[in-house]
């Protein structure tokens, strides 16, 4: 099955074409085409992602990315054909709120044959609704113009599945996942522990009561005068210190040794698997209020203390959830799982304390938002014949895993 997948939930516009074979027990995926444009440079100016700006950028990027992905997959075939009036009108209506995209799209379908793909998968949520809508309307227009089935994908399922992939000689395989699997999903909009008890069936185990961890990273970075997105910036600072002065990260105790700044570990000792990060962010705010400009060394110290607090809370809550759920597999997914310290702490802690659990962390390319992960989820949903109705499919910013 060839799947063309579209991702526009936040600040990455991405289209991938993936050929999938196999079944739910063992599936293999070859990436035929993969095109992605990050909007980071555009959003940097504003210090965060503005939904209206993201929407405009997605509308601008989708057509060039579609061409690039099809070309890479050798599926772009020129063919001047007249578009039936009915299709023309329906497409124009679907894309009327995305200025420019409608004309470019109509021109494209009148110059090219429908691509040889079996389904169109699209992120339907969670994410920023104005951004999601661009991808959804675009996917609906493609499904209509090419007469292909449409599959709605949960973005978080994409993150879970991309962590379960093993890669060899360019082929991605998902197999032998020991269930139940616990997923720690950490991104700009999410911080949650989700249990996959049976394949592709989810239950919420814990979640943040306020800020997402990526949001805390981004806000603290902003307070420190670092550019958006803050996660990689804070990580760089903290790592610079770890490598020269204080050694590897510490987890344990209320504050790790070698820390100049003491930051709280919110909700560490309560008996839920829920998180809270707003207190940590506020602690940094107060700390900065009472000081003049931080020196470079102090910035690194603060980043280090912040990362230690985050990693400790994430690990302790995850360890609690592993115990409660008796999970055999632990998955980490979402943009924040790119973090060097979090990856290291989880790898060490699993080896030391829970060697019975298999830890699955996505490869770097699959960690941040991309369309390959949407294709993976689209494949399983298509196998289950979960075909979306274009008439009723809507963007849902809070779409949850079920
Ligand atoms: O999953 P993602 O790409 O988009 C959302 O769905 O939110 O996650 C983006 C988040 C941002 O908050 C960004 O600062 C954070 O992931 N992030 C990181 C790192 N790379 C990205 N946080 C910590 N360390 C990193 N290396
Ligand atoms: Zn994401």
């Amino acid at each position: 099955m060839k799947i063309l997948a579209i991702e526009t939930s936040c600040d990455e516009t991405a289209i991938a074409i993936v050929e999938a074979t196999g079944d739910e027990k063992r599936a293999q995926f070859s990436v035929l085409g993969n095109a992605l444009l990050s909007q980071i440079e555009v959003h940097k100016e504003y210090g965060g992602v503005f939904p209206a700006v993201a929407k405009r950028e997605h509308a601008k990027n989708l057509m060039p990315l579609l061409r690039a992905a099809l070309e890479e997959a050798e599926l772009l075939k020129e063919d001047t054909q007249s578009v039936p009036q009915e299709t023309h009108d329906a497409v124009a209506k679907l894309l009327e709120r995305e200025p420019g995209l409608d004309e470019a799209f109509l021109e494209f379908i009148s110059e090219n044959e429908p691509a040889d793909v079996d389904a169109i998968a699209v992120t339907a949520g969670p994410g920023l609704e104005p951004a999601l809508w661009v991808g959804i309307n675009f996917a609906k227009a493609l499904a209509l113009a090419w007469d292909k089935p449409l599959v709605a994908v949960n973005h978080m399922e994409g993150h879970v599945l991309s962590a379960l992939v093993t890669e060899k000689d360019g082929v991605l395989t998902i197999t032998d996942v020991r269930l139940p699997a616990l997923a720690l999903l950490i991104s700009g909009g999410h911080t949650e522990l989700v249990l996959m008890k049976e394949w592709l069936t989810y239950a919420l185990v814990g979640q943040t009561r306020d800020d997402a961890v990526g949001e805390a990273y981004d806000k603290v970075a902003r307070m420190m005068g670092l550019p958006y997105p803050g996660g990689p910036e804070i990580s760089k600072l903290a790592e610079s210190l770890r490598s020269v002065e204080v050694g590897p990260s510490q987890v344990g105790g209320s504050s790790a040794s070698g820390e100049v700044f003491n930051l709280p570990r919110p909700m560490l000792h309560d008996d839920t698997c829920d998180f809270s990060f707003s207190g940590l962010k506020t602690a940094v705010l107060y700390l900065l209020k009472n000081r003049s400009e931080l020196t470079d060394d102090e910035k690194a110290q603060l980043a280090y203390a912040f990362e230690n607090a985050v990693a400790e809370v994430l690990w302790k809550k995850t360890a609690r959830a592993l115990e409660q759920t008796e999970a055999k597999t632990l998955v980490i997914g979402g943009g924040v799982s790119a973090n060097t310290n979090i990856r290291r702490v989880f790898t060490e802690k699993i080896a030391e304390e829970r060697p019975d659990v298999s830890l699955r962390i996505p490869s770097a390319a699959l960690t941040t938002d991309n369309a390959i992960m949407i294709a993976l989820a689209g494949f399983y949903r298509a196998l289950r014949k979960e075909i979306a109705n274009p008439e009723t499919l809507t963007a849902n910013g809070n779409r949850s895993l079920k």
Side-chain angles (χ1 to χ4, degrees), residues 8-13 39 42-43 46-59 97-98 127-135 228 397:
T8 65
S9 69
C10 189
D11 60 351
E12 250 98 32
T13 324
Q39 303 174 4
V42 182
H43 294 291
Y46 306 91
V49 180
F50 264 73
V53 176
K55 172 182 152 71
R56 182 195 73 200
E57 291 296 306
H58 288 310
R97 298 225 178 88
E98 329 297 348
L128 304 168
E129 279 186 11
L132 288 164
W133 269 118
V134 186
Y228 174 85

PDB file of all heavy atoms in Angstrom, residues 8-13 39 42-43 46-59 97-98 127-135 228 397:
ATOM      1  N   THR A   8       0.609  19.104   9.079  1.00  0.00           N
ATOM      2  CA  THR A   8       0.656  20.574   9.228  1.00  0.00           C
ATOM      3  C   THR A   8       0.158  21.003  10.616  1.00  0.00           C
ATOM      4  O   THR A   8      -0.443  22.050  10.756  1.00  0.00           O
ATOM      5  CB  THR A   8      -0.246  21.298   8.184  1.00  0.00           C
ATOM      6  OG1 THR A   8      -1.621  20.956   8.434  1.00  0.00           O
ATOM      7  CG2 THR A   8       0.094  20.972   6.764  1.00  0.00           C
ATOM      8  N   SER A   9       0.426  20.173  11.656  1.00  0.00           N
ATOM      9  CA  SER A   9      -0.222  20.482  12.939  1.00  0.00           C
ATOM     10  C   SER A   9       0.412  21.645  13.686  1.00  0.00           C
ATOM     11  O   SER A   9      -0.208  22.273  14.523  1.00  0.00           O
ATOM     12  CB  SER A   9      -0.222  19.253  13.839  1.00  0.00           C
ATOM     13  OG  SER A   9       1.092  18.962  14.245  1.00  0.00           O
ATOM     14  N   CYS A  10       1.682  21.941  13.385  1.00  0.00           N
ATOM     15  CA  CYS A  10       2.344  23.000  14.144  1.00  0.00           C
ATOM     16  C   CYS A  10       3.210  23.844  13.211  1.00  0.00           C
ATOM     17  O   CYS A  10       2.668  24.515  12.338  1.00  0.00           O
ATOM     18  CB  CYS A  10       3.130  22.378  15.291  1.00  0.00           C
ATOM     19  SG  CYS A  10       3.770  23.593  16.451  1.00  0.00           S
ATOM     20  N   ASP A  11       4.518  23.787  13.364  1.00  0.00           N
ATOM     21  CA  ASP A  11       5.352  24.666  12.543  1.00  0.00           C
ATOM     22  C   ASP A  11       6.221  23.924  11.541  1.00  0.00           C
ATOM     23  O   ASP A  11       7.198  24.467  11.039  1.00  0.00           O
ATOM     24  CB  ASP A  11       6.193  25.598  13.429  1.00  0.00           C
ATOM     25  CG  ASP A  11       7.117  24.834  14.353  1.00  0.00           C
ATOM     26  OD1 ASP A  11       6.989  23.598  14.428  1.00  0.00           O
ATOM     27  OD2 ASP A  11       7.962  25.463  15.004  1.00  0.00           O
ATOM     28  N   GLU A  12       5.865  22.670  11.247  1.00  0.00           N
ATOM     29  CA  GLU A  12       6.544  21.954  10.173  1.00  0.00           C
ATOM     30  C   GLU A  12       5.507  21.589   9.120  1.00  0.00           C
ATOM     31  O   GLU A  12       4.468  21.027   9.462  1.00  0.00           O
ATOM     32  CB  GLU A  12       7.167  20.653  10.697  1.00  0.00           C
ATOM     33  CG  GLU A  12       8.664  20.683  10.746  1.00  0.00           C
ATOM     34  CD  GLU A  12       9.191  20.999  12.137  1.00  0.00           C
ATOM     35  OE1 GLU A  12       8.528  20.605  13.103  1.00  0.00           O
ATOM     36  OE2 GLU A  12      10.234  21.659  12.223  1.00  0.00           O
ATOM     37  N   THR A  13       5.797  21.923   7.859  1.00  0.00           N
ATOM     38  CA  THR A  13       4.935  21.446   6.776  1.00  0.00           C
ATOM     39  C   THR A  13       5.654  20.250   6.182  1.00  0.00           C
ATOM     40  O   THR A  13       6.829  20.372   5.819  1.00  0.00           O
ATOM     41  CB  THR A  13       4.758  22.497   5.664  1.00  0.00           C
ATOM     42  OG1 THR A  13       4.720  23.792   6.237  1.00  0.00           O
ATOM     43  CG2 THR A  13       3.499  22.234   4.859  1.00  0.00           C
ATOM     44  N   GLN A  39       9.255  25.947   9.702  1.00  0.00           N
ATOM     45  CA  GLN A  39       8.957  27.385   9.718  1.00  0.00           C
ATOM     46  C   GLN A  39       9.711  28.096  10.837  1.00  0.00           C
ATOM     47  O   GLN A  39       9.417  29.248  11.148  1.00  0.00           O
ATOM     48  CB  GLN A  39       7.454  27.601   9.928  1.00  0.00           C
ATOM     49  CG  GLN A  39       6.583  26.918   8.905  1.00  0.00           C
ATOM     50  CD  GLN A  39       5.101  27.041   9.258  1.00  0.00           C
ATOM     51  OE1 GLN A  39       4.724  27.698  10.221  1.00  0.00           O
ATOM     52  NE2 GLN A  39       4.267  26.394   8.474  1.00  0.00           N
ATOM     53  N   VAL A  42      10.832  31.647  10.448  1.00  0.00           N
ATOM     54  CA  VAL A  42       9.739  32.626  10.362  1.00  0.00           C
ATOM     55  C   VAL A  42       9.208  32.939  11.759  1.00  0.00           C
ATOM     56  O   VAL A  42       8.948  34.089  12.103  1.00  0.00           O
ATOM     57  CB  VAL A  42       8.582  32.069   9.486  1.00  0.00           C
ATOM     58  CG1 VAL A  42       7.475  33.096   9.345  1.00  0.00           C
ATOM     59  CG2 VAL A  42       9.108  31.636   8.126  1.00  0.00           C
ATOM     60  N   HIS A  43       9.069  31.902  12.585  1.00  0.00           N
ATOM     61  CA  HIS A  43       8.480  32.096  13.914  1.00  0.00           C
ATOM     62  C   HIS A  43       9.465  32.682  14.924  1.00  0.00           C
ATOM     63  O   HIS A  43       9.052  33.256  15.926  1.00  0.00           O
ATOM     64  CB  HIS A  43       7.905  30.777  14.440  1.00  0.00           C
ATOM     65  CG  HIS A  43       6.745  30.290  13.648  1.00  0.00           C
ATOM     66  ND1 HIS A  43       5.530  30.932  13.656  1.00  0.00           N
ATOM     67  CD2 HIS A  43       6.603  29.238  12.805  1.00  0.00           C
ATOM     68  CE1 HIS A  43       4.693  30.281  12.857  1.00  0.00           C
ATOM     69  NE2 HIS A  43       5.334  29.252  12.323  1.00  0.00           N
ATOM     70  N   TYR A  46       8.951  36.110  16.181  1.00  0.00           N
ATOM     71  CA  TYR A  46       7.855  36.351  17.127  1.00  0.00           C
ATOM     72  C   TYR A  46       8.105  35.669  18.471  1.00  0.00           C
ATOM     73  O   TYR A  46       7.308  35.798  19.389  1.00  0.00           O
ATOM     74  CB  TYR A  46       6.530  35.831  16.562  1.00  0.00           C
ATOM     75  CG  TYR A  46       6.180  36.368  15.196  1.00  0.00           C
ATOM     76  CD1 TYR A  46       6.567  35.684  14.048  1.00  0.00           C
ATOM     77  CD2 TYR A  46       5.474  37.562  15.066  1.00  0.00           C
ATOM     78  CE1 TYR A  46       6.255  36.174  12.788  1.00  0.00           C
ATOM     79  CE2 TYR A  46       5.161  38.057  13.810  1.00  0.00           C
ATOM     80  CZ  TYR A  46       5.555  37.363  12.673  1.00  0.00           C
ATOM     81  OH  TYR A  46       5.247  37.842  11.436  1.00  0.00           O
ATOM     82  N   GLY A  47       9.149  34.871  18.547  1.00  0.00           N
ATOM     83  CA  GLY A  47       9.458  34.188  19.800  1.00  0.00           C
ATOM     84  C   GLY A  47       8.552  33.011  20.095  1.00  0.00           C
ATOM     85  O   GLY A  47       8.500  32.509  21.217  1.00  0.00           O
ATOM     86  N   GLY A  48       7.804  32.554  19.108  1.00  0.00           N
ATOM     87  CA  GLY A  48       6.924  31.402  19.306  1.00  0.00           C
ATOM     88  C   GLY A  48       6.099  31.199  18.058  1.00  0.00           C
ATOM     89  O   GLY A  48       6.234  31.954  17.098  1.00  0.00           O
ATOM     90  N   VAL A  49       5.271  30.162  18.070  1.00  0.00           N
ATOM     91  CA  VAL A  49       4.485  29.861  16.869  1.00  0.00           C
ATOM     92  C   VAL A  49       3.170  30.630  16.887  1.00  0.00           C
ATOM     93  O   VAL A  49       2.370  30.473  17.811  1.00  0.00           O
ATOM     94  CB  VAL A  49       4.196  28.347  16.766  1.00  0.00           C
ATOM     95  CG1 VAL A  49       3.387  28.037  15.511  1.00  0.00           C
ATOM     96  CG2 VAL A  49       5.494  27.563  16.746  1.00  0.00           C
ATOM     97  N   PHE A  50       2.958  31.463  15.882  1.00  0.00           N
ATOM     98  CA  PHE A  50       1.682  32.172  15.748  1.00  0.00           C
ATOM     99  C   PHE A  50       0.781  31.403  14.800  1.00  0.00           C
ATOM    100  O   PHE A  50       1.141  31.191  13.646  1.00  0.00           O
ATOM    101  CB  PHE A  50       1.924  33.585  15.216  1.00  0.00           C
ATOM    102  CG  PHE A  50       1.987  34.601  16.305  1.00  0.00           C
ATOM    103  CD1 PHE A  50       3.095  34.667  17.129  1.00  0.00           C
ATOM    104  CD2 PHE A  50       0.919  35.467  16.543  1.00  0.00           C
ATOM    105  CE1 PHE A  50       3.147  35.577  18.164  1.00  0.00           C
ATOM    106  CE2 PHE A  50       0.965  36.376  17.573  1.00  0.00           C
ATOM    107  CZ  PHE A  50       2.085  36.438  18.391  1.00  0.00           C
ATOM    108  N   PRO A  51      -0.405  30.970  15.258  1.00  0.00           N
ATOM    109  CA  PRO A  51      -1.248  30.134  14.408  1.00  0.00           C
ATOM    110  C   PRO A  51      -1.540  30.742  13.031  1.00  0.00           C
ATOM    111  O   PRO A  51      -1.467  30.036  12.024  1.00  0.00           O
ATOM    112  CB  PRO A  51      -2.532  29.984  15.225  1.00  0.00           C
ATOM    113  CG  PRO A  51      -2.090  30.138  16.638  1.00  0.00           C
ATOM    114  CD  PRO A  51      -0.955  31.128  16.605  1.00  0.00           C
ATOM    115  N   ALA A  52      -1.806  32.049  12.972  1.00  0.00           N
ATOM    116  CA  ALA A  52      -2.142  32.657  11.678  1.00  0.00           C
ATOM    117  C   ALA A  52      -0.944  32.636  10.728  1.00  0.00           C
ATOM    118  O   ALA A  52      -1.093  32.438   9.521  1.00  0.00           O
ATOM    119  CB  ALA A  52      -2.645  34.084  11.878  1.00  0.00           C
ATOM    120  N   VAL A  53       0.244  32.818  11.302  1.00  0.00           N
ATOM    121  CA  VAL A  53       1.461  32.783  10.481  1.00  0.00           C
ATOM    122  C   VAL A  53       1.726  31.346  10.020  1.00  0.00           C
ATOM    123  O   VAL A  53       2.063  31.094   8.856  1.00  0.00           O
ATOM    124  CB  VAL A  53       2.667  33.341  11.279  1.00  0.00           C
ATOM    125  CG1 VAL A  53       3.944  33.217  10.476  1.00  0.00           C
ATOM    126  CG2 VAL A  53       2.423  34.791  11.679  1.00  0.00           C
ATOM    127  N   ALA A  54       1.541  30.398  10.934  1.00  0.00           N
ATOM    128  CA  ALA A  54       1.746  28.986  10.587  1.00  0.00           C
ATOM    129  C   ALA A  54       0.811  28.592   9.444  1.00  0.00           C
ATOM    130  O   ALA A  54       1.220  27.950   8.481  1.00  0.00           O
ATOM    131  CB  ALA A  54       1.496  28.098  11.808  1.00  0.00           C
ATOM    132  N   LYS A  55      -0.441  29.003   9.544  1.00  0.00           N
ATOM    133  CA  LYS A  55      -1.444  28.693   8.516  1.00  0.00           C
ATOM    134  C   LYS A  55      -1.005  29.223   7.155  1.00  0.00           C
ATOM    135  O   LYS A  55      -1.015  28.512   6.156  1.00  0.00           O
ATOM    136  CB  LYS A  55      -2.787  29.306   8.935  1.00  0.00           C
ATOM    137  CG  LYS A  55      -3.885  29.252   7.898  1.00  0.00           C
ATOM    138  CD  LYS A  55      -5.134  29.949   8.444  1.00  0.00           C
ATOM    139  CE  LYS A  55      -5.995  30.534   7.337  1.00  0.00           C
ATOM    140  NZ  LYS A  55      -6.677  29.552   6.534  1.00  0.00           N
ATOM    141  N   ARG A  56      -0.568  30.492   7.136  1.00  0.00           N
ATOM    142  CA  ARG A  56      -0.137  31.116   5.880  1.00  0.00           C
ATOM    143  C   ARG A  56       1.072  30.361   5.284  1.00  0.00           C
ATOM    144  O   ARG A  56       1.124  30.085   4.092  1.00  0.00           O
ATOM    145  CB  ARG A  56       0.243  32.575   6.179  1.00  0.00           C
ATOM    146  CG  ARG A  56       0.659  33.389   4.977  1.00  0.00           C
ATOM    147  CD  ARG A  56       1.360  34.661   5.422  1.00  0.00           C
ATOM    148  NE  ARG A  56       2.696  34.381   5.940  1.00  0.00           N
ATOM    149  CZ  ARG A  56       3.383  35.198   6.734  1.00  0.00           C
ATOM    150  NH1 ARG A  56       2.849  36.338   7.136  1.00  0.00           N
ATOM    151  NH2 ARG A  56       4.595  34.876   7.152  1.00  0.00           N
ATOM    152  N   GLU A  57       2.008  29.996   6.137  1.00  0.00           N
ATOM    153  CA  GLU A  57       3.203  29.291   5.659  1.00  0.00           C
ATOM    154  C   GLU A  57       2.872  27.901   5.121  1.00  0.00           C
ATOM    155  O   GLU A  57       3.406  27.476   4.111  1.00  0.00           O
ATOM    156  CB  GLU A  57       4.246  29.186   6.786  1.00  0.00           C
ATOM    157  CG  GLU A  57       4.869  30.512   7.176  1.00  0.00           C
ATOM    158  CD  GLU A  57       5.671  31.145   6.048  1.00  0.00           C
ATOM    159  OE1 GLU A  57       6.571  30.477   5.508  1.00  0.00           O
ATOM    160  OE2 GLU A  57       5.384  32.307   5.702  1.00  0.00           O
ATOM    161  N   HIS A  58       1.973  27.185   5.833  1.00  0.00           N
ATOM    162  CA  HIS A  58       1.578  25.856   5.342  1.00  0.00           C
ATOM    163  C   HIS A  58       0.964  25.982   3.945  1.00  0.00           C
ATOM    164  O   HIS A  58       1.271  25.204   3.049  1.00  0.00           O
ATOM    165  CB  HIS A  58       0.542  25.209   6.271  1.00  0.00           C
ATOM    166  CG  HIS A  58       1.110  24.755   7.583  1.00  0.00           C
ATOM    167  ND1 HIS A  58       2.237  23.984   7.681  1.00  0.00           N
ATOM    168  CD2 HIS A  58       0.686  24.947   8.863  1.00  0.00           C
ATOM    169  CE1 HIS A  58       2.489  23.733   8.958  1.00  0.00           C
ATOM    170  NE2 HIS A  58       1.573  24.310   9.697  1.00  0.00           N
ATOM    171  N   ALA A  59       0.082  26.983   3.777  1.00  0.00           N
ATOM    172  CA  ALA A  59      -0.603  27.158   2.486  1.00  0.00           C
ATOM    173  C   ALA A  59       0.423  27.439   1.384  1.00  0.00           C
ATOM    174  O   ALA A  59       0.293  26.951   0.265  1.00  0.00           O
ATOM    175  CB  ALA A  59      -1.619  28.292   2.578  1.00  0.00           C
ATOM    176  N   ARG A  97     -10.342  29.240   1.561  1.00  0.00           N
ATOM    177  CA  ARG A  97      -9.782  30.000   2.688  1.00  0.00           C
ATOM    178  C   ARG A  97      -8.255  30.008   2.700  1.00  0.00           C
ATOM    179  O   ARG A  97      -7.653  30.521   3.617  1.00  0.00           O
ATOM    180  CB  ARG A  97     -10.283  29.422   4.012  1.00  0.00           C
ATOM    181  CG  ARG A  97     -11.773  29.500   4.162  1.00  0.00           C
ATOM    182  CD  ARG A  97     -12.175  30.002   5.538  1.00  0.00           C
ATOM    183  NE  ARG A  97     -13.621  30.100   5.611  1.00  0.00           N
ATOM    184  CZ  ARG A  97     -14.411  29.097   5.980  1.00  0.00           C
ATOM    185  NH1 ARG A  97     -13.877  27.953   6.348  1.00  0.00           N
ATOM    186  NH2 ARG A  97     -15.720  29.248   5.993  1.00  0.00           N
ATOM    187  N   GLU A  98      -7.655  29.375   1.715  1.00  0.00           N
ATOM    188  CA  GLU A  98      -6.187  29.352   1.662  1.00  0.00           C
ATOM    189  C   GLU A  98      -5.758  30.094   0.403  1.00  0.00           C
ATOM    190  O   GLU A  98      -5.507  29.467  -0.623  1.00  0.00           O
ATOM    191  CB  GLU A  98      -5.643  27.908   1.635  1.00  0.00           C
ATOM    192  CG  GLU A  98      -6.453  26.846   2.349  1.00  0.00           C
ATOM    193  CD  GLU A  98      -6.575  27.063   3.842  1.00  0.00           C
ATOM    194  OE1 GLU A  98      -5.849  27.923   4.380  1.00  0.00           O
ATOM    195  OE2 GLU A  98      -7.404  26.398   4.468  1.00  0.00           O
ATOM    196  N   GLY A 127      -3.210  19.703  17.702  1.00  0.00           N
ATOM    197  CA  GLY A 127      -2.328  20.707  17.126  1.00  0.00           C
ATOM    198  C   GLY A 127      -3.036  22.047  17.084  1.00  0.00           C
ATOM    199  O   GLY A 127      -4.076  22.231  17.730  1.00  0.00           O
ATOM    200  N   LEU A 128      -2.478  22.963  16.314  1.00  0.00           N
ATOM    201  CA  LEU A 128      -3.087  24.289  16.181  1.00  0.00           C
ATOM    202  C   LEU A 128      -4.178  24.191  15.113  1.00  0.00           C
ATOM    203  O   LEU A 128      -3.880  23.858  13.968  1.00  0.00           O
ATOM    204  CB  LEU A 128      -2.039  25.311  15.736  1.00  0.00           C
ATOM    205  CG  LEU A 128      -0.794  25.444  16.615  1.00  0.00           C
ATOM    206  CD1 LEU A 128       0.275  26.260  15.903  1.00  0.00           C
ATOM    207  CD2 LEU A 128      -1.179  26.087  17.943  1.00  0.00           C
ATOM    208  N   GLU A 129      -5.405  24.499  15.483  1.00  0.00           N
ATOM    209  CA  GLU A 129      -6.496  24.261  14.533  1.00  0.00           C
ATOM    210  C   GLU A 129      -6.343  24.976  13.186  1.00  0.00           C
ATOM    211  O   GLU A 129      -6.543  24.350  12.144  1.00  0.00           O
ATOM    212  CB  GLU A 129      -7.852  24.513  15.181  1.00  0.00           C
ATOM    213  CG  GLU A 129      -8.241  23.293  16.000  1.00  0.00           C
ATOM    214  CD  GLU A 129      -9.618  23.332  16.599  1.00  0.00           C
ATOM    215  OE1 GLU A 129     -10.419  24.225  16.241  1.00  0.00           O
ATOM    216  OE2 GLU A 129      -9.904  22.448  17.427  1.00  0.00           O
ATOM    217  N   PRO A 130      -5.991  26.271  13.172  1.00  0.00           N
ATOM    218  CA  PRO A 130      -5.858  26.910  11.852  1.00  0.00           C
ATOM    219  C   PRO A 130      -4.813  26.199  10.984  1.00  0.00           C
ATOM    220  O   PRO A 130      -4.973  26.100   9.772  1.00  0.00           O
ATOM    221  CB  PRO A 130      -5.410  28.338  12.190  1.00  0.00           C
ATOM    222  CG  PRO A 130      -5.794  28.540  13.614  1.00  0.00           C
ATOM    223  CD  PRO A 130      -5.708  27.202  14.274  1.00  0.00           C
ATOM    224  N   ALA A 131      -3.758  25.706  11.625  1.00  0.00           N
ATOM    225  CA  ALA A 131      -2.703  25.002  10.887  1.00  0.00           C
ATOM    226  C   ALA A 131      -3.204  23.645  10.409  1.00  0.00           C
ATOM    227  O   ALA A 131      -3.006  23.255   9.250  1.00  0.00           O
ATOM    228  CB  ALA A 131      -1.476  24.834  11.776  1.00  0.00           C
ATOM    229  N   LEU A 132      -3.893  22.925  11.297  1.00  0.00           N
ATOM    230  CA  LEU A 132      -4.432  21.610  10.934  1.00  0.00           C
ATOM    231  C   LEU A 132      -5.381  21.707   9.740  1.00  0.00           C
ATOM    232  O   LEU A 132      -5.365  20.859   8.840  1.00  0.00           O
ATOM    233  CB  LEU A 132      -5.199  21.009  12.113  1.00  0.00           C
ATOM    234  CG  LEU A 132      -4.366  20.512  13.296  1.00  0.00           C
ATOM    235  CD1 LEU A 132      -5.247  20.308  14.522  1.00  0.00           C
ATOM    236  CD2 LEU A 132      -3.640  19.212  12.935  1.00  0.00           C
ATOM    237  N   TRP A 133      -6.213  22.751   9.754  1.00  0.00           N
ATOM    238  CA  TRP A 133      -7.219  22.896   8.691  1.00  0.00           C
ATOM    239  C   TRP A 133      -6.590  22.979   7.305  1.00  0.00           C
ATOM    240  O   TRP A 133      -7.140  22.453   6.334  1.00  0.00           O
ATOM    241  CB  TRP A 133      -8.105  24.133   8.932  1.00  0.00           C
ATOM    242  CG  TRP A 133      -9.339  23.825   9.723  1.00  0.00           C
ATOM    243  CD1 TRP A 133      -9.662  24.345  10.940  1.00  0.00           C
ATOM    244  CD2 TRP A 133     -10.412  22.948   9.350  1.00  0.00           C
ATOM    245  NE1 TRP A 133     -10.872  23.834  11.355  1.00  0.00           N
ATOM    246  CE2 TRP A 133     -11.348  22.981  10.400  1.00  0.00           C
ATOM    247  CE3 TRP A 133     -10.660  22.134   8.248  1.00  0.00           C
ATOM    248  CZ2 TRP A 133     -12.529  22.225  10.384  1.00  0.00           C
ATOM    249  CZ3 TRP A 133     -11.834  21.376   8.220  1.00  0.00           C
ATOM    250  CH2 TRP A 133     -12.748  21.426   9.274  1.00  0.00           C
ATOM    251  N   VAL A 134      -5.450  23.649   7.185  1.00  0.00           N
ATOM    252  CA  VAL A 134      -4.822  23.774   5.863  1.00  0.00           C
ATOM    253  C   VAL A 134      -4.505  22.381   5.313  1.00  0.00           C
ATOM    254  O   VAL A 134      -4.827  22.056   4.169  1.00  0.00           O
ATOM    255  CB  VAL A 134      -3.513  24.608   5.914  1.00  0.00           C
ATOM    256  CG1 VAL A 134      -2.988  24.842   4.509  1.00  0.00           C
ATOM    257  CG2 VAL A 134      -3.722  25.920   6.620  1.00  0.00           C
ATOM    258  N   GLY A 135      -3.879  21.553   6.158  1.00  0.00           N
ATOM    259  CA  GLY A 135      -3.521  20.202   5.729  1.00  0.00           C
ATOM    260  C   GLY A 135      -4.758  19.365   5.423  1.00  0.00           C
ATOM    261  O   GLY A 135      -4.782  18.611   4.444  1.00  0.00           O
ATOM    262  N   TYR A 228      13.813  31.141  19.930  1.00  0.00           N
ATOM    263  CA  TYR A 228      12.855  30.052  19.769  1.00  0.00           C
ATOM    264  C   TYR A 228      13.385  29.080  18.716  1.00  0.00           C
ATOM    265  O   TYR A 228      13.960  29.542  17.738  1.00  0.00           O
ATOM    266  CB  TYR A 228      11.497  30.625  19.332  1.00  0.00           C
ATOM    267  CG  TYR A 228      10.508  29.552  18.998  1.00  0.00           C
ATOM    268  CD1 TYR A 228       9.756  28.973  20.008  1.00  0.00           C
ATOM    269  CD2 TYR A 228      10.381  29.090  17.694  1.00  0.00           C
ATOM    270  CE1 TYR A 228       8.884  27.938  19.712  1.00  0.00           C
ATOM    271  CE2 TYR A 228       9.505  28.057  17.399  1.00  0.00           C
ATOM    272  CZ  TYR A 228       8.764  27.488  18.411  1.00  0.00           C
ATOM    273  OH  TYR A 228       7.925  26.464  18.121  1.00  0.00           O
ATOM    274  N   GLY A 397      -8.126  20.359  17.581  1.00  0.00           N
ATOM    275  CA  GLY A 397      -6.901  20.757  18.269  1.00  0.00           C
ATOM    276  C   GLY A 397      -6.602  19.904  19.490  1.00  0.00           C
ATOM    277  O   GLY A 397      -5.452  19.768  19.892  1.00  0.00           O
TER     278      GLY A 397
END
